[in-house]
Amino acid sequence: MRFDTISFLSDYGTADEFVGVVKSVVRAIAPEVAVIDLTHEVAPHDVRAGGLALARAAQYLCPGVVLAVVDPGVGTDRRAVAVEVGEGQSVLVGPDNGLLAPAVAMCGGASRAVELANPEYQLAAPGPTFAGRDIFAPAAAQLCLGVPLEAFGAEIDLGTLRPGMVPLTRLEAGRLEAEVLWVDRFGNAQLNVDPDELAGWDDHVDVVASGRSRVARRVRTYSDASVGELGLLVDSYGLMSLALDRASVADHLGLAPGDPVSLAPIEEGGAPAGADTPVTLRPGPPEHPGSDR
């Protein structure tokens, strides 16, 4: 099967020449192939963030090859792999470090996978630290030209592919303990919360984040929230997100990916929406008599 599209994600940034070099290698091998830049602004070495970005995008990508490089273990014994999904409709190329796993799962699982070990489809390299240029880009381009998956190396037992790490919510003392998955450029904070987990909850929700309790109101759109009111809505990827209308909730609440967020329902007639309630921690005894600490 031949492909005409490569969707490219990395943590390379655009300050250096890395992205341009990888795309030039692809063009030299497969000049008719379109390369779509998903993003190159994944935080350096952040495999989880790269995997989540791929998973968010997966269902909207053109059939073809996905080239993903967030590879802190480059040059080590971690495997370079190509993973087929959709019975051959697409192939994901990248390191076997969990980066590809969330997107593979979103596509219904892998049908085949191989290790990229055949030097015939690699560039000669002065060192092992630029696999995006020397291993992944040539493989992606050659796949587009119709080189069969098995030509790149031995088939891999699918059960040995490295899984992705996606946090799960948990119920504790009547509260839903969640986590920030992603903060977008507008400052909206996506949570690992499925809307079904809030089934039966009233419109007002107690949100504890960054040591502060605040009431959020469940809304449909950003603009449904009043000025300064914390909104809780189903985002464009079908998960619950915290948001402020035309402001950054991440800046306002001091949130970053990986931060815990605790949610609990508030019965109608409870605290007014948007009200802040500081969480006060009682200080312990002074370390020494007479200390003012």
Side-chain angles (χ1 to χ4, degrees):
M1 181 176 290
R2 297 172 70 95
F3 302 106
D4 62 5
T5 304
I6 293 174
S7 300
F8 183 20
L9 171 146
S10 77
D11 62 348
Y12 289 156
T14 54
D16 299 302
E17 71 275 13
F18 306 136
V19 170
V21 166
V22 168
K23 293 171 73 171
S24 289
V25 168
V26 168
R27 184 170 176 81
I29 297 169
E32 303 303 317
V33 170
V35 180
I36 296 172
D37 296 297
L38 292 180
T39 181
H40 300 296
E41 301 303 327
V42 175
H45 317 304
D46 195 338
V47 173
R48 191 182 88 150
L52 290 171
L54 272 186
R56 290 192 299 270
Q59 61 185 309
Y60 302 102
L61 299 182
C62 293
V65 177
V66 174
L67 171 57
V69 189
V70 181
D71 194 14
V74 63
T76 68
D77 59 358
R78 68 94 188 90
R79 294 181 296 194
V81 297
V83 182
E84 180 189 81
V85 297
E87 299 299 331
Q89 286 194 11
S90 293
V91 180
L92 288 80
V93 172
D96 182 24
N97 61 4
L99 175 67
L100 306 180
V104 169
M106 286 291 294
C107 294
S111 47
R112 287 191 298 163
V114 299
E115 184 169 6
L116 302 176
N118 187 346
E120 182 180 349
Y121 300 110
Q122 299 176 7
L123 300 186
T129 62
F130 197 174
R133 176 193 67 192
D134 303 327
I135 298 175
F136 299 130
Q142 296 286 359
L143 282 164
C144 288
L145 294 181
V147 175
L149 200 63
E150 58 270 20
F152 293 92
E155 190 160 339
I156 294 170
D157 178 352
L158 298 179
T160 68
L161 290 171
R162 185 79 177 267
M165 303 302 292
V166 179
L168 300 177
T169 58
R170 67 185 190 280
L171 281 172
E172 257 184 36
R175 301 190 67 89
L176 185 66
E177 303 299 333
E179 185 173 311
V180 177
L181 289 180
W182 174 48
V183 174
D184 67 20
R185 73 182 302 269
F186 300 102
N188 304 308
Q190 183 185 68
L191 306 178
N192 61 329
V193 176
D194 188 283
D196 289 344
E197 295 181 87
L198 308 187
W201 289 26
D202 288 329
D203 285 346
H204 296 134
V205 177
D206 179 51
V207 176
V208 174
S210 303
R212 184 171 59 173
S213 175
R214 178 168 179 154
V215 177
R217 184 166 64 90
R218 298 180 67 179
V219 295
R220 191 177 67 86
T221 69
Y222 302 114
S223 59
D224 286 343
S226 303
V227 175
E229 181 183 24
L230 182 61
L232 182 65
L233 75 165
V234 180
D235 67 18
S236 59
Y237 293 104
L239 293 175
M240 302 304 302
S241 284
L242 292 170
L244 293 171
D245 184 29
R246 284 171 268 194
S248 169
V249 75
D251 289 346
H252 185 71
L253 296 182
L255 292 175
D259 285 351
V261 174
S262 179
L263 307 175
I266 296 175
E267 294 183 4
E268 292 303 326
D276 279 319
T277 306
V279 175
T280 303
L281 302 179
R282 177 176 296 179
E287 294 183 9
H288 306 288
S291 169
D292 60 356
R293 294 183 60 191

